[in-house]
Amino acid sequence: MNPYADFTFKLNFLFRSVKIHFSAVTVSKLGLLRTKKMPIELGQRKLQNQKANCTCLNAAFSPLLIFCTVNCLLGLQATPLYCNMLNFQENSVCKLFGIKLPIVQGGMVWVSGWKLAAAVSAQGGLGLIGAGSMYPELLETHIQKCKAAGIEKFGVNLPLLYPHAEAHVEVIIRNRVPVVFTSAGNPALYTQRLKAEGITVVHVIANEKFALKALDAGVDALVAEGFEAGGHNGKEETTTLVLIPQIRKICPVPLLAAGGIASGQSMLAALALGADGVQIGSAFAVCEESSAHTNYKEAVFQSKEGDTQLTLKELTPVRMLKNELFNQLEQAKQNGASKEELKAILGKGRARKGILEGDLQEGELEIGQVAMQLKNSLSVEAYIKKLLQEVEEGLFNLNKIQTT
Amino acid sequence: MNPYADFTFKLNFLFRSVKIHFSAVTVSKLGLLRTKKMPIELGQRKLQNQKANCTCLNAAFSPLLIFCTVNCLLGLQATPLYCNMLNFQENSVCKLFGIKLPIVQGGMVWVSGWKLAAAVSAQGGLGLIGAGSMYPELLETHIQKCKAAGIEKFGVNLPLLYPHAEAHVEVIIRNRVPVVFTSAGNPALYTQRLKAEGITVVHVIANEKFALKALDAGVDALVAEGFEAGGHNGKEETTTLVLIPQIRKICPVPLLAAGGIASGQSMLAALALGADGVQIGSAFAVCEESSAHTNYKEAVFQSKEGDTQLTLKELTPVRMLKNELFNQLEQAKQNGASKEELKAILGKGRARKGILEGDLQEGELEIGQVAMQLKNSLSVEAYIKKLLQEVEEGLFNLNKIQTT
């Protein structure tokens, strides 16, 4: 898209490496200064060592010479300040969870077991085990496997609308899970009880009303999820672009943006809107470590614009890929179906059927609007690496709007 | 927004300048090496070792020294990341239209007459006269008043679904309007005819399909408008956050982002997503220079989350504030009303009634989802100043994720 950017990028890289040599040189030179006061035989020994780095001096300075000249000629003074390294040490999300990257993997039914969560945490993000699709015993197994894999920083996503919430909470406390993300329910239910156990509690909201509720309940952080997001969502249809600045105004705790975020560009956009970090769902749902069925992942890769829609506002709004089930529901709604009739059509276990078993027509294929931008299955490691590189490049390009 | 921003800015500026001074000092110190008096035995061998790199030192450091000194003298050059000034000289949107800021004021029915357009263009953006609500004669008057006000760079928004499009095109050509934004229709209709007259043509799209159509028609730029946007919109419901990266991939010409953009934070987010500039509607619709009725502006200021909705997908999707008219339409749809019945309810002149005459119940109050973030009526000058300041602060904060 911008060949010049690539050139300046390389130039920067050169400058950074030269800077490193430069400091090495300074050190050795200072050593050289010391030698002058030393008795000859000591000095001679020092000198032997100097010889080596004198050779590397030349090696180091020639690129410096090239860089400075090119830099002065092309007037690229602005570029040296660009660093091809990101630093989230001061990031409030990283501090809160004790992680390296402000990237949370959303807890997703039938998708995020311990394997996905562990893979994300291992890369410096925060992986969440999705309790929504697990019986308490299974949740306990996943938590223990995650710990057995040597993962300390991870969490459990607890959708309060599902059954077993109470039993889940007991499992979570018994197994000393460090972080819990609650969603789809009243944040006042378990927040204080979990916090009393030293657990960091985050609540997922899609509007200002619930954000205030969650803050009142004393949550440690918020996830603000826009209309674009997959799975269950708010009725207001407020998009991430509009929701984040709105919630930022009233949110004194760390704020994570969710919905429509899969690329480094969108992560950068979320941070620009005032979020401290991001929660990514869809992109992780199609990663190699996700437990979703290959058919489901393939359906996501094949999806085009307009292929997902937020439906079932009458019950609990959910964004899914349009398929046979979706059409049945829409048809029923057009025929003025009642809540009960819709519930009857939906039945039970549709998400399991679609996401875990790969039934593309009868299953509920929950996924976000970014589905159309997901084209292949990467390992979590490869995906996060790509994501961070896009953030770096994006920020580099964004800084071009400033005077140099 | 951020009281510390200015202070941190100064600190950062100081810090960077000092760093530059330091390197300058290091440089000159190293230079001293050449004049060091050494014991003969050491000196001779040192000399041999140093000959090579001293030459390099001189060659390499002199440009660096110049570079540092210039930076110290010019101060700000040392801190391009936080230079407190934005520079859009290289911006493709600014180059295309010959303007200072990549900010376009969307053409809006009953809102954007010559006064609003002229005010925006006078501030360095691009103002658009909304032809959708004008008879050809009235459009001509507005164009001429805009020119009489000494405005050279401005445009006309031409919604192709409205009547008089043909007559509008003749007026536009006769009055040598430099820029035309076409929307809501087939871009192939007038693009080549307008371009043949030396007019810059931009088309507004809400999905990839129409983006490709417009590019085939040979438009000079695209506006990609997300689900959040007010007024007429696409059926796919693709939000700005998801739409921009999608269109960026296939768009070789300048790309403007629209929908959900009212603050500097959201403008920065749009640029992070890959847009070259932004088209802002709602925020300009409530500016002092907008011809919209005070009741309408007041209704926008009072609106809360979820108060706007995209409706009438059966006819032409449009986002409006929920009111009596909206409820009538929704009720009719729930009762399975046909297109004709909906058209009958909508009738004629609803937008005029709502936006120009201020009838808040019977009128069509077109506005974007950001309505809830608009709280008072500013002059275009004050608004754009605020917007740019937010962009600067946002970029300053965003750069904190970089190692320095």
Side-chain angles (χ1 to χ4, degrees), chain A residues 1 15-16 19 22 25-26 29 32-33 35-36 38 40 43-44 47-48 50-51 54-55 57-58 61-62 64-65 68-69 71-72 77-88 91 206-210 227-228 236-243 245-249 259-261 263 265-266 268-274 305-306 308-310 313 319 333-334 336 369-370 372-373 391-392 394-396 398-404, chain B residues 1 16 19 23 26-27 30 33 36-39 41-42 45-46 49-50 52-54 56-57 59-61 63-64 67 70-71 76-88 91 206-210 227-228 235-243 245-249 259-261 263 265-266 268-274 305-306 308-310 313 319 334 336 369-370 372-373 391-392 394-396 398-404:
Chain A
M1 202 156 78
F15 181 64
R16 288 173 63 77
K19 251 168 70 185
F22 177 66
V25 170
T26 319
K29 277 313 196 180
L32 200 61
L33 280 170
T35 60
K36 74 184 191 304
M38 291 171 180
I40 296 174
Q44 280 175 328
L47 212 54
Q48 304 307 321
Q50 288 295 328
K51 275 186 183 172
C54 276
T55 344
L57 283 186
N58 302 332
F61 286 141
S62 31
L64 179 62
L65 173 62
C68 293
T69 322
N71 194 22
C72 294
Q77 286 90 337
T79 60
L81 287 183
Y82 163 66
C83 312
N84 58 339
M85 276 172 68
L86 296 173
N87 170 15
F88 293 110
N91 180 280
N207 58 49
E208 206 172 331
K209 188 179 144 213
F210 270 85
F227 172 76
E228 302 91 329
E236 296 79 7
E237 300 190 340
T238 309
T239 71
T240 304
L241 187 61
V242 178
L243 183 65
Q246 193 72 9
I247 302 301
R248 177 78 284 176
K249 283 195 206 115
I261 301 163
S263 67
Q265 289 78 11
S266 46
L268 196 59
L271 298 177
L273 291 170
E305 61 184 357
T308 76
Q309 193 172 307
L310 187 72
K313 282 188 171 187
R319 179 175 295 278
K333 282 196 286 183
Q334 280 180 25
Q369 216 177 45
V370 281
M372 62 171 138
Q373 285 164 22
V391 171
E392 280 172 18
L395 190 52
F396 176 73
L398 202 53
N399 275 308
K400 289 179 184 154
I401 64 172
Q402 292 195 100
T403 49
T404 55
Chain B
M1 192 78 174
R16 286 183 185 275
K19 255 169 67 184
S23 26
T26 321
V27 168
L30 287 173
L33 279 169
K36 281 271 167 289
K37 299 247 181 330
M38 315 262 178
E41 301 85 352
L42 277 181
R45 298 161 81 170
K46 272 208 175 93
N49 297 333
Q50 283 182 22
N53 60 54
C54 278
C56 297
L57 277 175
F61 286 149
L64 181 63
F67 166 64
V70 170
N71 271 328
L76 279 179
Q77 288 208 348
T79 63
L81 292 184
Y82 311 107
C83 61
N84 207 25
M85 275 174 65
L86 297 173
N87 169 16
F88 294 109
N91 179 281
N207 58 48
E208 205 172 333
K209 186 180 146 214
F210 269 86
F227 172 76
E228 302 91 328
K235 285 188 170 68
E236 296 78 6
E237 300 190 340
T238 310
T239 72
T240 304
L241 187 61
V242 178
L243 183 65
Q246 193 73 8
I247 302 301
R248 177 77 286 175
K249 283 198 207 111
I261 301 162
S263 66
Q265 288 77 11
S266 46
L268 197 59
L271 298 177
L273 291 170
E305 61 185 356
T308 76
Q309 193 173 308
L310 188 71
K313 281 189 169 187
R319 179 176 293 280
Q334 280 179 26
Q369 215 176 47
V370 282
M372 62 170 137
Q373 286 165 22
V391 171
E392 279 173 19
L395 192 52
F396 175 81
L398 202 54
N399 275 304
K400 288 175 183 162
I401 65 172
Q402 284 194 118
T403 50
T404 50

Side-chain angles (χ1 to χ4, degrees), chain B residues 12 28 90 112 187 190 192 213 224 229 319 383 386:
Chain B
N12 184 273
S28 47
E90 292 309 308
S112 55
Y190 299 109
Q192 283 313 316
K213 258 193 179 185
R319 179 176 293 280
Y383 169 67
K386 180 169 163 289

